[in-house]
Amino acid sequence: MTVLDIDGIDTYYGNSHVLHDVSLTLAEGEVVALLGRNGAGKTTTMRSIMGVTPPRRGEITYRGEDIVGKAPNEINERGINLVPEDRRVFPTLTVHENIVLAHKLAADPRPVEEMYELFPVLDGLRRSNAQNLSGGEQQMLAVARALVQRPSLLLLDEPTEGLAPVIVDDLRTMLQDVVEQDVTVLLSEQNVTFAFDLATRGYVIDTGSIVFEGSIEEIREREDLLEQYLAVS
Ligand code: ATP
């Protein structure tokens, strides 16, 4: 079953035309990667889905419903959750308070304790202020805040951004557990090897247009794509 169907969207910032005829679909339970360099349009695609920068043309259908023009909170209420690049945890609240707050705001949340089972690192940091966490720990907290709301579609925008390689390994292990759960994921990444480990299908985006779509195996074999559009040579 199709969870999300983006059909030919064009998104602008003022007069600046950023996304050009972007189409993308996600089926139930899939983990799909959106791959591209800095500035390619990954974040703008996520923001278009969330209703933060709605497209001026094209359609976005979520579980059969047209969501273009709906406010971000209405889109969130339908089960779509974005973990933004800048993580946006509440810095002066503790880890526990951050998770509890997200839990309280959800209509059908998961138990808070399940998040500590999924992210044992956070269990030991319950009473720490979020601002004192490392980048990797903050990323885990941001994902836990999203997951406790029992999203049906999780949008992860460059979760590895700014993280040390050893932390990226930890995050990969934890996200592998997350994606085995009942959630569909769109993962935006510049770190292609990270995305290859989690996703089964991918789209390559460059200057606001999708330039390739295929299985991760197909993308992995296309050295020309990796060199031209992704940060691997
Ligand atoms: P990054 O890793 O830098 O976030 P990205 O693939 O997510 O890369 P976007 O953030 O979607 O890329 O940016 C796509 C294009 O839109 C870039 O050219 C960027 O400069 C431009 N852009 C992003 N945000 C704005 C904005 N608020 N106003 C104007 N232009 C913007």
Side-chain angles (χ1 to χ4, degrees):
M1 189 199 142
T2 304
V3 172
L4 186 76
D5 186 15
I6 301 181
D7 187 11
I9 61 167
D10 284 71
T11 300
Y12 294 70
Y13 293 105
N15 289 329
S16 169
H17 189 173
V18 172
L19 295 188
H20 303 264
D21 198 24
V22 166
S23 294
L24 180 160
T25 63
L26 277 114
E28 190 83 60
E30 264 195 315
V31 180
V32 171
L34 182 60
L35 303 166
R37 290 184 199 271
N38 224 332
K42 303 180 299 297
T43 299
T44 307
T45 303
M46 300 280 190
R47 291 165 59 98
S48 300
I49 300 168
M50 258 349 269
V52 180
T53 54
R56 288 204 197 150
R57 274 192 296 278
E59 288 170 10
I60 304 179
T61 311
Y62 174 68
R63 298 190 180 279
E65 182 189 16
D66 176 13
I67 56 169
V68 173
K70 299 213 179 301
N73 66 308
E74 295 175 306
I75 292 173
N76 176 246
E77 279 163 11
R78 282 161 174 73
I80 308 182
N81 241 299
L82 169 68
V83 179
E85 230 173 339
D86 58 10
R87 291 157 199 158
R88 248 176 276 164
V89 295
F90 292 104
T92 58
L93 298 185
T94 65
V95 164
H96 192 66
E97 287 164 345
N98 263 281
I99 300 175
V100 167
L101 190 59
H103 177 272
K104 282 199 177 126
L105 292 171
D108 177 27
R110 294 174 58 166
V112 170
E113 288 305 314
E114 275 184 26
M115 296 305 111
Y116 293 125
E117 285 161 25
L118 210 48
F119 302 98
V121 174
L122 297 179
D123 198 3
L125 294 167
R126 283 177 193 238
R127 308 275 159 237
S128 304
N129 275 355
Q131 64 195 357
N132 297 331
L133 267 49
S134 71
E137 291 159 354
Q138 281 189 16
Q139 184 63 53
M140 286 171 204
L141 178 57
V143 177
R145 293 191 72 234
L147 275 185
V148 81
Q149 299 197 324
R150 204 188 293 279
S152 159
L153 171 59
L154 186 61
L155 310 176
L156 290 177
D157 195 4
E158 293 199 43
T160 66
E161 163 111 60
L163 302 184
V166 53
I167 308 297
V168 169
D169 289 342
D170 287 349
L171 186 67
R172 180 192 288 111
T173 307
M174 279 165 211
L175 287 180
Q176 270 159 345
D177 288 343
V178 167
V179 301
E180 278 168 20
Q181 312 215 345
D182 194 14
V183 62
T184 304
V185 180
L186 181 62
L187 169 69
S188 117
E189 266 301 338
Q190 293 190 52
N191 181 338
V192 291
T193 52
F194 181 85
F196 287 170
D197 286 343
L198 291 164
T200 53
R201 226 157 48 73
Y203 293 81
V204 179
I205 186 166
D206 185 61
T207 57
S209 297
I210 301 291
V211 293
F212 187 82
E213 168 193 352
S215 69
I216 291 300
E217 290 73 45
E218 284 173 293
I219 297 174
R220 215 193 273 274
E221 282 168 16
R222 289 284 303 270
E223 277 177 28
D224 56 325
L225 282 180
L226 298 176
E227 253 171 58
Q228 193 174 354
Y229 301 117
L230 307 168
V232 172
S233 55

